[in-house]
Amino acid sequence: MCDQTFLAITFGPCDSCSENPVGRQSRLDGRSQRATKNICSCCSPFCPFPMACQGLASGETLKSLKAESETLRKKLEEERKKLHDVELEKVAEKAEALGELNMKTRRTLKGHGNKVLCMDWCKDKRRIVSSSQDGKVIVWDAFTTNKEHAVTMPTTWVMACAYAPSGCAIACGGLDNKCSVYPLSLDKDENLAAKKKSVAMHTNYLSGCTFTNSDMQILTSSGDGTSALWDVESGQLLQSFHGHSADVLTLDLAPSETGNTFVSGGSDKKANVWDLRSGQNVQSFDTHDSDINCVKYYPSGDAFASASDDSTCRLFDLRADREVSIYSKDSIMFGAASVDFSLSGRLLFAGYNDYTINVWDVLKGTRVAILFGHENRVSSLRVSPDGTAFCSGSWDNTLRVRQEGRGVVRELKQGGTTPYLKNIFLFN
Amino acid sequence: MERVIVAMQDPDMGVKMRNQRLLITVIPHAMTGNDVIEWLIQKYNITEEEARHLGGLLVQYGYIYPLRDPRSLLLRSDDSPYRFQTPYFWTSSRWPASELDYAIYLAKKNIRKQGELVDYEKENYSILHKRINHTWDFVVMQAREQLRASKQRRKADRIVLECQEQAYWLINKPCPGAFDVLDLGPERCNVLSSRVALIEHSRRALGRNRVKSSICLESFMKYSEQYLHHDPIMSGCLPSNPWISDDTAHWTINTDMVGTPTRLRVERWSFSFMELLNDSMGRREFMIYLEKEFSAENLCFWVACEDLRHGESSKIILKVEEVYKNFLAPGAARWVNIDSKTMERTLEGIKRPHRFIMDDAQMHIYFLMKKDSYPRYLKSELYKNMLAKAIVPQETKKSVFPFMRRQRHSSPSPAMVTQATEDDGKAKGAGPTGTSSTTNSQI
């Protein structure tokens, strides 16, 4: 394994108010970074909100600011190019080519009355929670296709849902601008809605939510342009992240060792990497041509992929600080709504608005397979925690769990014993 | 999408267009479904299935409309004729399909042939009639005018114009029940950016350290190779993939606390320190090893700090105190060895405890374990024994009788499992049996 240059973000007090914690970058071998002023987000004179222009000193017109930001951007591009000595395709020539990928739908989960907008796996590798446009959130045991719990939210368009790491609670939210946590009880007569806890409050719709490593904290992203970290127990805001200039549509938590960062993508075509503790925007990538619908980290945590309305998926490397690969094809004209990596990071599954799922070879940049089966947009796609299968949820009201179908093509027409298994599609 | 359509209409490279026969009349500039598909296959180098799918979408979105069966927006890969929709009617121009126009269209249909309106169209017609009653005369007059004008056109043109309009309205005012192609989801807004913040950010970004691309990309290659055999989608899984064979053996073998772990699992511990710690069995094994080396307090400290970071906010102060008492205070029972600077900073910070106060110390100990104890563990007898003991499950033979489907049993919900352990052995026996009866029922 190669040695990473460790750039740790240690903790220290803010330089101006000496109170709030602020992250400083420092090398682990003791050498200090170039001296930069480290101030917390409260003391920063550069307010992220466009209307408040207190940071503007006299004499700085809008024009000069624009010019300055342009030159800085160009400089940044140059800096990034300097260290770019090889393309991913060249490096990937050594990798062995992938054989034909043959994915079949193994389970079709029917039961939502309207478009499925979001889904998440449970850590036990077989349960799924999914949410839909009509406000229903259902917890399924995907293996048996039984529905285990169903909650009706008082809002439509539930665009975000997440399973807690312990498997004991789910979080969901949408047009109601809040994120609610429902503890899953096993008493069937119990009304789950009664135990609901409102955790997050935003000023616009909730687009994504995920639990951090425990049940106690939730990270949310919203259409009001911010992301926030909340404490579940008290409902308190622990940290907020400002920096997007439009709706934040997606977020993903880093799996890395000193896992303290997350990446978010928004309608402003940018993907930003944030530090959870200090609230600072650590890195930013803006090479997409349209809204970024989904971001996902590479399993090692050194890179992430994004799916966008410009019909491409791109891979961004965090250490090289640039985009390293584009996954696109002329015949794909519709935007990509969702992406996920396979366990080894070799395959990238992407669901598109033209009802298909394309499987890309991450290293070589080529398309390995195209999967049909859904009758409307694929809205969300996740690989199971142990990588055995992946599930896609679509606007055609169903979720499909798919897996490789090597070997004898079996006639999988079941004799109508179980109503759930009526539709098993075979692809070749 | 327009890119494709424009390319298709290109006279040299585009789809072959001929005069097509529709019943008796000859329609110019039309093409067959087959031609469309073939052209797509050639131009984009895709399979026939994909071309059919793509072509179907083009029809559904209204860029191509069928002449023979104008009500059904499907692309048939045979001789049925199709035509390109005029740009005026393209969906991307997003002209709001005004009520007035729709009313005129429906009125025309009504006048031309009584009873041609389908149910939902009749409903819409009457609704519109009520709503824009004041301009109804205008609507009817317009409809009559348009009909008169069209009578004076050639039959071919008339058919074309009719189909064109019909396709347009089919898409914009779809039949209830059929999905609306124009359904887009909640609105997204765009706010102007703040230049000042951008500048600050760019400045900071310039100061970053970057790594050479070659190093980063090599690391991806290595990672993929390393995990190739662990990826069930790429290399299959033993004994069998539960989703294919309906057999949960794979999951039962890999549960958290199983007697003998699988070989793949134990190998994974050697990939990185984080893998070892993330796996509860790995953590346990590592703890046993550290106890032998008399440095177990490091791992305990790390676990306590993780708990602090991710636990409940209300218990933070309590936890910080405990950690201090157990690990950091001079003469503590399990004193951890951290360097003086970090110790100073941590002790300072304890005076104002918050969630991340132990981060410095935790990281120091983490890297200490990673650089020192972890490599030694991998070389130790303990690990080697574990590896030797680990089983490689047999791949189950594919069943010869495909109709024999296994019973799919539900597993106890994780929520139930934790509840049972919390209830301190209260209803231990009732737990697993209780679930199989409740979870099998539908909601």
Side-chain angles (χ1 to χ4, degrees), chain A residues 39-257:
Chain A
I39 40 183
C40 66
S41 50
C42 301
C43 301
S44 166
F46 302 119
C47 176
F49 295 105
M51 290 304 127
C53 305
Q54 309 120 313
L56 270 162
S58 62
E60 277 185 2
T61 60
L62 206 60
K63 226 182 179 178
S64 70
L65 279 182
K66 195 168 176 188
E68 196 181 346
S69 77
E70 275 308 304
T71 46
L72 279 175
R73 262 190 86 222
K74 287 211 184 72
K75 257 185 161 178
L76 195 57
E77 273 306 305
E78 276 175 35
E79 281 290 322
R80 282 176 172 170
K81 273 217 193 86
K82 274 191 210 160
L83 286 175
H84 183 63
D85 47 352
V86 69
E87 292 286 340
L88 185 56
E89 272 90 38
K90 278 222 84 200
V91 176
E93 270 163 18
K94 294 185 270 165
E96 44 174 81
L98 292 176
E100 231 231 38
L101 201 64
N102 200 354
M103 307 283 289
K104 301 193 168 80
T105 300
R106 300 287 167 184
R107 305 282 189 279
T108 306
L109 303 177
K110 296 190 179 204
H112 274 292
N114 215 319
K115 311 181 171 85
V116 175
L117 299 173
C118 181
M119 51 124 335
D120 192 15
W121 288 87
C122 175
K123 288 255 159 34
D124 77 344
K125 310 155 202 164
R126 48 191 285 175
R127 285 182 169 73
I128 293 181
V129 63
S130 62
S131 65
S132 79
Q133 184 197 350
D134 58 0
K136 281 227 159 51
V137 178
I138 301 184
V139 176
W140 317 73
D141 178 349
F143 190 65
T144 56
T145 71
N146 284 334
K147 298 189 196 58
E148 293 196 341
H149 301 87
V151 181
T152 310
M153 297 270 289
T155 171
T156 54
W157 286 95
V158 187
M159 294 180 267
C161 65
Y163 223 118
S166 67
C168 299
I170 51 170
C172 44
L175 283 184
D176 57 350
N177 303 355
K178 318 197 271 229
C179 182
S180 323
V181 176
Y182 292 87
L184 294 175
S185 86
L186 287 142
D187 188 353
K188 283 300 171 296
D189 299 329
E190 184 116 27
N191 185 7
L192 278 182
K195 284 228 188 122
K196 150 175 135 166
K197 201 190 283 193
S198 257
V199 171
M201 291 288 278
H202 279 282
T203 50
N204 207 333
Y205 66 88
L206 199 83
S207 54
C209 72
T210 174
F211 283 88
T212 57
N213 297 342
S214 76
D215 280 14
M216 295 300 141
Q217 294 168 342
I218 287 193
L219 196 56
T220 60
S221 67
S222 158
D224 62 7
T226 65
S227 323
L229 181 67
W230 308 83
D231 177 59
V232 174
E233 221 186 356
S234 56
Q236 231 190 0
L237 172 67
L238 293 173
Q239 184 66 263
S240 73
F241 308 92
H242 299 270
H244 276 288
S245 48
D247 304 15
V248 183
L249 297 172
T250 171
L251 54 80
D252 189 32
L253 209 54
S256 64
E257 295 183 296

Side-chain angles (χ1 to χ4, degrees), chain A residues 1 68 115 217 277 354, chain B residues 53 183 203 271 355 359:
Chain A
M1 274 203 294
E68 196 181 346
K115 311 181 171 85
Q217 294 168 342
R277 289 174 297 179
D354 65 353
Chain B
H53 180 85
D183 198 352
R203 280 212 194 104
F271 289 167
R355 193 175 286 271
D359 268 7

Side-chain angles (χ1 to χ4, degrees), chain A residues 291-294 306-313 332-339 350-354 378:
Chain A
D291 302 6
I292 296 182
N293 290 319
C294 185
S306 61
S308 155
D309 272 346
D310 63 3
S311 73
T312 63
C313 296
I332 300 177
M333 305 176 291
F334 287 79
S338 180
V339 274
Y352 290 77
N353 289 343
D354 65 353
V378 178

Side-chain angles (χ1 to χ4, degrees), chain B residues 18-28 154-157:
Chain B
R18 306 182 273 267
N19 296 344
Q20 295 287 344
R21 284 198 104 73
L22 176 66
L23 303 179
I24 339 163
T25 42
V26 173
I27 314 247
R154 283 188 357 235
K155 181 131 192 250
D157 286 341

Side-chain angles (χ1 to χ4, degrees), chain B residues 19-252:
Chain B
N19 296 344
Q20 295 287 344
R21 284 198 104 73
L22 176 66
L23 303 179
I24 339 163
T25 42
V26 173
I27 314 247
H29 297 304
M31 58 211 163
T32 61
N34 236 344
D35 287 340
V36 174
I37 292 180
E38 268 178 39
W39 186 84
L40 282 172
I41 294 181
Q42 245 191 8
K43 173 116 203 271
Y44 293 121
N45 213 357
I46 51 184
T47 61
E48 187 184 333
E49 197 180 0
E50 200 186 336
R52 241 185 295 142
H53 180 85
L54 201 54
L57 280 174
L58 285 175
V59 177
Q60 269 179 1
Y61 273 82
Y63 288 95
I64 300 181
Y65 59 90
L67 289 168
R68 188 177 296 170
D69 189 7
R71 264 196 188 281
S72 82
L73 294 173
L74 292 174
L75 183 72
R76 270 185 258 269
S77 55
D78 54 13
D79 292 340
S80 36
Y82 291 87
R83 267 188 67 113
F84 290 109
Q85 183 71 285
T86 59
Y88 183 76
F89 280 147
W90 279 357
T91 31
S92 51
S93 41
R94 302 261 172 103
W95 284 29
S98 77
E99 290 192 329
L100 207 58
D101 288 334
Y102 192 43
I104 295 177
Y105 167 69
L106 286 176
K108 262 200 300 183
K109 276 187 101 168
N110 216 359
I111 297 173
R112 189 173 47 218
K113 206 199 278 189
Q114 285 291 343
E116 189 169 300
L117 292 179
V118 185
D119 286 325
Y120 76 95
E121 283 179 341
K122 282 204 196 108
E123 260 184 60
N124 284 342
Y125 191 57
S126 44
I127 292 176
L128 282 172
H129 186 87
K130 272 184 234 143
R131 222 183 300 168
I132 48 177
N133 212 352
H134 49 284
T135 45
W136 201 248
D137 295 335
F138 172 67
V139 167
V140 175
M141 198 175 62
Q142 270 289 317
R144 289 224 180 87
E145 271 299 314
Q146 286 188 13
L147 276 175
R148 199 164 6 116
S150 70
K151 280 209 175 72
Q152 296 173 349
R153 293 210 190 94
R154 283 188 357 235
K155 181 131 192 250
D157 286 341
R158 216 182 326 144
I159 294 184
V160 162
L161 286 171
E162 263 175 44
C163 290
Q164 207 165 297
E165 227 188 333
Q166 181 155 50
Y168 175 69
W169 286 113
L170 262 180
I171 290 175
N172 275 300
K173 299 268 181 212
C175 176
F179 63 72
D180 187 1
V181 147
L182 297 178
D183 198 352
L184 291 170
E187 282 289 307
R188 295 176 185 173
C189 60
N190 270 302
V191 176
L192 285 171
S193 62
S194 149
R195 289 285 165 190
V196 180
L198 270 178
I199 290 176
E200 165 69 16
H201 178 78
S202 304
R203 280 212 194 104
R204 245 185 296 142
L206 278 173
R208 271 186 73 83
N209 267 335
R210 285 181 197 85
V211 181
K212 274 213 294 202
S213 283
S214 47
I215 301 181
C216 302
L217 300 177
E218 276 299 321
S219 76
F220 292 151
M221 294 282 300
K222 290 210 181 95
Y223 187 89
S224 291
E225 258 182 66
Q226 207 175 35
Y227 281 83
L228 190 65
H229 293 294
H230 296 260
D231 187 345
I233 295 183
M234 308 268 307
S235 352
C237 68
L238 307 167
S240 61
N241 194 309
W243 299 97
I244 301 181
S245 62
D246 290 348
D247 175 22
T248 51
H250 176 77
W251 287 331
T252 40

Side-chain angles (χ1 to χ4, degrees), chain A residues 8-26 36-45 238-241 260 275-282, chain B residues 200 204 345 352 354 356-357 359-360 363:
Chain A
I9 300 187
T10 58
F11 234 61
C14 161
D15 279 333
S16 54
C17 70
S18 324
E19 260 183 28
N20 297 335
V22 155
R24 293 158 195 282
Q25 284 183 340
S26 64
T36 45
K37 202 157 169 23
N38 289 304
I39 40 183
C40 66
S41 50
C42 301
C43 301
S44 166
L238 293 173
Q239 184 66 263
S240 73
F241 308 92
N260 278 321
D275 180 281
L276 273 174
R277 289 174 297 179
S278 62
Q280 274 184 351
N281 179 356
V282 177
Chain B
E200 165 69 16
R204 245 185 296 142
R345 244 191 311 203
R352 278 175 280 135
H354 61 83
F356 300 117
I357 204 61
D359 268 7
D360 285 344
M363 210 149 52

